[in-house]
Amino acid sequence: MSCRISELVLNCDDPELLARFWSDVLGYVELDREDGMIEIGPANAGFGGLQPTIILSASSNPRVGRLPLHIDVNPVDRDQDAELERLLALGARPADVGQTGDEQWHVLQDPEGNEFCLLRKRLDPEIVTKKDH
């Protein structure tokens, strides 16, 4: 028996802003909304599907320093350079975490400064296998 990640919870200043951003980045839709939280996830699966949902939870506690966890994303319908351009147009910003410039990924920040990485490998949007994780 094992566990599976079902949800990722991100405390944030503006759940509306980040729900729009991450929905656009991942092709997610709003699944639920209550008490200052917005849950987004895959339209065809929702909570409990193969991909975890994301809950954007309003928080007034200021973040200090880098988060110990970040999200990695992969392009599914274009190459890494085209996806980087799309993410920057959506409001992502480059982040400097001490990269050498030789990495095969790009470190970015969402509109609230949460770091995430755009990886190089293009994934098939319809196929999720154990090897992809």
Side-chain angles (χ1 to χ4, degrees), residues 27-82:
Y28 277 16
V29 298
E30 184 176 315
L31 299 173
D32 194 19
R33 175 186 293 257
E34 65 178 72
D35 300 328
M37 294 186 298
I38 301 172
E39 183 172 15
I40 61 173
N44 58 347
F47 176 80
L50 291 176
Q51 298 176 20
T53 61
I54 299 175
I55 295 178
L56 295 307
S57 178
S59 174
S60 59
N61 295 333
R63 183 181 76 225
V64 178
R66 290 179 57 193
L67 292 175
L69 178 71
H70 69 265
I71 296 172
D72 286 346
V73 298
N74 292 72
V76 295
D77 61 356
R78 60 196 62 152
D79 67 20
Q80 185 187 42
D81 291 337

